[in-house]
């Protein structure tokens, strides 16, 4: 059997056939040292091994990969905004609401889910004079299948959430409310206006496809990801072309984080114990990571690195500057592919035992393969046959 191997031992010239991408893989090297080509070779090998891989491709460089299914966000794919939680929604909109307002948002989302899936009404759910017990029964019917809502109705629904009883003898506490809490609404008005504007922004509309385009067919990315994760797709490689994010720099980190959380959560929710391995690839990862420690814990890249192992998700990240990756994140990789690096500190951060001179003089397409507790091995990256 002739095996398509991405790597060859530089000394013996033998193909490296033992699996190495069964742990998280870090690919580092200065610009032009061959990281993307290495990732493509590894994907090519995975295809020959009939393994499933999902590439989140913010540059569009992976479109050249043959035998892959490609979905391009903004073109033939969109994200369903009506599935975003109050936290994810704030992330992709680049806002952080005060806690009280965040609760209000969670409530508004539930109201809209009731409205759409159970009450089958249109527009926001009017809460004035609505019997509290009836509403409670509707809420009880909410479940996973009733998880979508009309995101563009949110600003108005937020106003509907701010209702109170009369403050006189006509007060009826069996109703959700009898009048608008005018002071409360006025206090939040600036935030509400901002929220409305962000929902209407071009970035949001393009990424989340909140406007209907009759005649064009787009697929929801969450659905596509599910298909691949559950091996129900006829292809084994999925490329999610996210080059649209170049135009929306503010949102790109949040969207990538969101997609990775969809992937992780789909697996964590499937409680069947055995998972087919799925490999994830993200190029230029340092661009999409937050700097703060608190935000890192909430980031999808970090969560997949930390929790992916137990559900058989392995991720490969490439970066030209390992020092830009937080140390907590760097320690999650069981294996690294180290291309040419010209900075001693960067090398020390990923492979302190390698001699700097050896790494600095690597040619394009050469690298050191380093596994935990095994001495690093110099390798040649075999560009794929189609390449
Ligand atoms: N294994 C290889 N065999 C032959 N040529 C290669 C190999 N790897 C890289 N190259 C050549 O080097 C060029 C740069 O490689 P590549 O784009 O993979 O580098 P990179 O590290 O991803 O760079 P950047 O940081 O700019 O993204 C490629 O266009 C290709 O021509
Ligand atoms: Mg590259």
């Amino acid at each position: 059997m002739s095996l398509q191997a991405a790597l060859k031992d530089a000394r013996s010239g033998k193909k490296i056939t033992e699996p190495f991408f069964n742990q998280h893989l870090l690919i580092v090297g200065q610009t032009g040292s061959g990281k993307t080509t290495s990732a493509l070779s590894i994907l090519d090998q995975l295809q020959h091994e009939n393994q499933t891989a999902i590439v989140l491709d913010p540059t569009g460089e992976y479109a050249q990969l043959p035998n892959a299914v490609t979905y391009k966000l903004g073109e033939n794919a969109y994200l369903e905004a009506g599935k975003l939680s109050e936290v994810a929604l704030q992330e992709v909109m680049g806002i952080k609401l005060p806690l009280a307002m965040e609760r209000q948002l969670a409530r508004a989302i539930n109201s809209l889910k009731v409205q759409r899936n159970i009450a089958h009404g249109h527009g926001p759910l009017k809460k004035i004079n609505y019997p509290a017990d009836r509403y409670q029964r509707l809420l009880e019917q909410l479940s996973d299948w009733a998880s979508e809502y009309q995101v563009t109705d949110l600003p108005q629904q937020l106003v509907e959430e701010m209702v109170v009883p009369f403050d006189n003898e006509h007060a009826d506490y069996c109703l959700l409310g009898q009048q608008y809490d005018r002071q409360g609404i006025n206090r939040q008005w600036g935030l509400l206006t901002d929220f409305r504007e962000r929902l209407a922004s071009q970035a949001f509309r393009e990424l989340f496809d909140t406007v209907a385009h009759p005649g064009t067919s787009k697929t929801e990315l969450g659905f596509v990801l599910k298909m691949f994760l559950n091996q129900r797709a006829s292809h084994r490689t999925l490329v999610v072309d996210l080059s649209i994010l170049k135009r929306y720099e503010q949102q790109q980190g949040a969207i990538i984080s969101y997609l990775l959380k969809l992937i992780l959560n789909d697996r964590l929710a499937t409680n069947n114990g055995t998972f087919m391995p799925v490999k994830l690839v993200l190029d230029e990862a340092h661009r999409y990571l937050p700097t703060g420690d608190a935000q890192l814990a909430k980031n999808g890249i970090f969560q997949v690195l930390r929790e992916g192992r137990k559900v058989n998700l392995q991720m490969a990240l490439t970066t030209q500057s390992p020092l830009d990756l937080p140390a907590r994140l760097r320690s999650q990789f069981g294996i690294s592919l180290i291309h040419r690096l010209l900075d001693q500190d960067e090398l020390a951060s990923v492979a302190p035992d390698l001699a700097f001179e050896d790494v600095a003089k690597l040619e394009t397409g050469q690298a050191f393969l380093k596994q935990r507790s095994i001495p690093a091995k110099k390798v040649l990256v075999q560009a794929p046959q189609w390449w």
Side-chain angles (χ1 to χ4, degrees), residues 1 20 25 68 78 139 150 152 231 260 295 355 369:
M1 188 184 80
F20 57 92
L25 167 68
Y78 70 98
L139 272 183
Q150 186 59 40
T152 46
Q231 319 283 320
L260 286 169
Q295 284 158 301
L369 181 67

Side-chain angles (χ1 to χ4, degrees), residues 31-133:
T31 172
S33 60
K35 299 179 298 294
T36 301
T37 310
S38 291
L40 284 166
S41 298
I42 291 166
L43 285 164
D44 183 68
Q45 178 176 339
L46 292 174
Q47 285 186 341
H48 282 88
E49 292 170 359
N50 216 10
Q51 294 212 46
T52 299
I54 299 175
V55 185
L56 300 186
D57 178 17
T59 62
E61 283 178 282
Y62 290 80
Q64 52 179 313
L65 198 66
N67 308 313
V69 179
T70 302
Y71 283 92
K72 191 164 182 178
L73 185 59
E75 242 163 60
N76 63 350
Y78 70 98
L79 289 164
E80 175 56 65
K83 283 186 181 155
L84 294 171
S85 68
E86 68 278 9
V87 176
L89 189 62
Q90 291 178 73
E91 268 176 28
V92 299
M93 289 172 98
I95 51 171
K96 181 76 195 99
L97 296 173
L99 197 61
M101 185 79 173
E102 185 171 301
R103 291 231 181 86
Q104 209 81 274
L105 182 61
R107 245 185 256 152
I109 287 175
N110 271 342
S111 302
L112 289 176
K113 284 180 184 173
V114 164
Q115 176 74 326
R116 176 175 183 148
N117 301 289
I118 298 164
H120 302 292
H122 291 287
L125 185 79
K126 300 281 182 199
K127 290 211 157 167
I128 285 183
N129 294 336
Y130 204 102
D133 59 345

Side-chain angles (χ1 to χ4, degrees), residues 327-357:
R328 270 169 76 203
L329 192 129
R330 260 184 273 133
S331 63
Q332 301 289 334
F333 294 93
I335 190 149
S336 345
L337 194 60
I338 298 146
H339 288 272
R340 184 173 57 245
L341 278 174
L342 295 178
D343 182 310
Q344 222 150 354
D345 293 336
E346 302 224 305
L347 177 62
S349 73
V350 282
D353 49 339
L354 277 177
F356 176 63
E357 306 77 56

